[in-house]
Amino acid sequence: MSNSGETEPLLVTSRISAPRQPRASYAVCLSIFVVGCIGLTVAITWSYRESRPEPNPGPESTTSSPDTITLNVFSLMVWGSPGSFGTEDKELRMEAIGNYIGSHTEYDVFLLNDLWMRGDHEKIRSLIPEGYHMSGVGQLALRSCDGLAAPEFCSGLAIISKYPFKDIEFLSFTDHGDFFWDYEYFLRRGAGRVRIEPSPGHTVDVIVTALASIDYNYWYRESQANNVVGMVTKSDADHVIVAGDFNVDPRDNENTYKTLKSELTDAVEEFYKNDSSKYLDPALSTFGNVKNTYSSKEQHPVAYDYIWYRASNGITVADFQVPILRTKREEISFSDHEAVTAKFQLSK
């Protein structure tokens, strides 16, 4: 206290400590505010992630790994008329053809034509791979088919498949040849169709056929080609494949090839990107091929045997070949025609 009698101010220390208290409170509040902001941010982020719908994997999986199927197709004109018609080494060749089919399970479908006789049909049936399916004579021919003594009223067609037949149909051509001109009239050529399902819900119509032989029968071939095209356009399968002996070369002056090409794509042309110097190479000829033991030196090599398909976005030709097939011991050709094979990639 002073001598002047004035009272000294109380709580002097409070003026020194007062500033410290607000500073401590301010730091605490700031810390709480920062923690709260962090917590709110975390909560908002978690809530957003939880509220988002799960991504749909459907389109991604379809694009990155489409449902693709490989289908290997083998087609051969077996030259199966009786020996009295000038056919050579038939029994020996039928045995070799059957053994080849039985040991080549890399092929999913075998399409045979000119298999006129029932005995030869049964011979090949006895040799097909275990689990494969083969059409019966009566399934791809008219009821009037003989096939015992002669080919009268038969089609000569057969299909062998790794996959069961979902449906089977035979179409007899509307025109068969001139009664007074040659034996074509007594045959009942046509088109045989089976439907297979290589994977669930994925349908393929496979058609085998053979058109009238001999050059002068071009009118009948043109009519028969129209019948084949009609079967193709009627099909509601995902894919259609047609194979056989068409007895016409792309360079021939008739409309048969053009008619087929109006609705179908030639697998060999597609595989070689429409380069005629490659797909018309004599090495790929199927009749008169110099490597065929039944070809004569006078024959001009031509392409008579084809594998066609109905073009769509879901089918591509991965391979095409004309294999030179001969018996193991005798080294004779399987037929006077060469086989044709194609590997297809199919997707829906």
Side-chain angles (χ1 to χ4, degrees):
M1 297 182 65
S2 64
N3 294 330
S4 62
E6 294 181 24
T7 304
E8 289 186 17
L10 298 175
L11 300 176
V12 174
T13 57
S14 66
R15 285 195 299 234
I16 300 174
S17 60
R20 295 179 185 173
Q21 190 67 26
R23 287 179 183 173
S25 299
Y26 176 80
V28 171
C29 291
L30 182 61
S31 299
I32 293 173
F33 175 78
V34 171
V35 171
C37 289
I38 294 173
L40 181 61
T41 302
V42 171
I44 292 173
T45 302
W46 180 85
S47 176
Y48 171 72
R49 289 180 177 176
E50 285 298 303
S51 64
R52 282 192 307 169
E54 290 294 323
N56 182 4
E60 292 183 7
S61 60
T62 301
T63 303
S64 59
S65 56
D67 180 21
T68 302
I69 303 166
T70 298
L71 194 72
N72 286 306
V73 178
F74 174 101
S75 177
L76 176 65
M77 185 276 206
V78 301
W79 199 24
S81 298
S84 59
F85 285 62
T87 307
E88 301 177 37
D89 310 308
K90 186 163 72 78
E91 289 74 17
L92 179 63
R93 293 186 295 99
M94 291 298 166
E95 181 87 21
I97 291 169
N99 286 328
Y100 181 87
I101 292 172
S103 61
H104 284 75
T105 55
E106 70 270 22
Y107 296 109
D108 302 297
V109 181
F110 296 88
L111 302 171
L112 308 180
N113 68 84
D114 216 60
L115 187 65
W116 300 108
M117 309 307 290
R118 292 177 183 268
D120 297 329
H121 189 283
E122 290 307 311
K123 180 63 177 180
I124 290 178
R125 179 191 291 277
S126 70
L127 296 171
I128 66 174
E130 184 177 356
Y132 275 58
H133 311 269
M134 184 173 182
S135 59
V137 172
Q139 291 180 302
L140 297 183
L142 299 178
R143 290 184 178 181
S144 54
C145 168
D146 176 13
L148 294 173
E152 274 91 345
F153 305 107
C154 296
S155 71
L157 306 177
I159 299 177
I160 302 166
S161 170
K162 179 183 295 183
Y163 305 102
F165 301 148
K166 299 294 183 180
D167 186 31
I168 188 163
E169 175 190 10
F170 174 68
L171 171 69
S172 180
F173 291 147
T174 55
D175 298 294
H176 300 281
D178 194 309
F179 177 82
F180 299 101
W181 198 248
D182 63 31
Y183 196 78
E184 279 290 335
Y185 174 82
F186 297 98
L187 303 176
R188 285 300 175 263
R189 294 186 185 272
R193 177 190 64 83
V194 300
R195 177 164 295 186
I196 59 176
E197 201 170 276
S199 68
H202 199 144
T203 56
V204 182
D205 274 351
V206 182
I207 299 172
V208 61
T209 191
L211 308 189
S213 62
I214 311 178
D215 291 346
Y216 58 71
N217 279 320
Y218 65 90
W219 186 90
Y220 295 100
R221 278 192 296 276
E222 291 173 350
S223 171
Q224 293 166 357
N226 277 306
N227 291 161
V228 173
V229 167
M231 178 177 271
V232 171
T233 56
K234 188 180 72 173
S235 172
D236 61 356
D238 297 318
H239 304 291
V240 180
I241 295 172
V242 184
D245 172 18
F246 293 83
N247 281 304
V248 65
D249 185 89
R251 295 158 288 194
D252 286 346
N253 187 26
E254 62 179 82
N255 292 325
T256 304
Y257 186 84
K258 295 176 183 177
T259 297
L260 294 163
K261 202 169 183 180
S262 67
E263 292 292 335
L264 294 163
T265 299
D266 186 353
V268 65
E269 286 192 28
E270 181 64 23
F271 181 68
Y272 286 107
K273 307 303 181 187
N274 297 308
D275 185 345
S276 60
S277 68
K278 294 181 179 178
Y279 70 78
L280 292 178
D281 188 312
L284 296 180
S285 61
T286 64
F287 186 63
N289 192 304
V290 294
K291 293 185 178 180
N292 191 291
T293 58
Y294 297 105
S295 295
S296 65
K297 293 181 179 179
E298 295 77 23
Q299 279 184 289
H300 177 67
V302 291
Y304 276 179
D305 303 81
Y306 301 86
I307 298 177
W308 302 84
Y309 66 96
R310 186 172 66 186
S312 68
N313 292 332
I315 183 168
T316 57
V317 183
D319 190 29
F320 185 93
Q321 294 185 29
V322 178
I324 304 300
L325 305 176
R326 295 184 179 183
T327 61
K328 292 182 178 179
R329 181 181 299 178
E330 299 80 8
E331 283 292 314
I332 60 174
S333 296
F334 279 12
S335 169
D336 60 347
H337 284 232
E338 305 304 333
V340 287
T341 70
K343 178 187 289 186
F344 292 99
Q345 298 288 344
L346 310 177
S347 62
K348 292 187 72 173

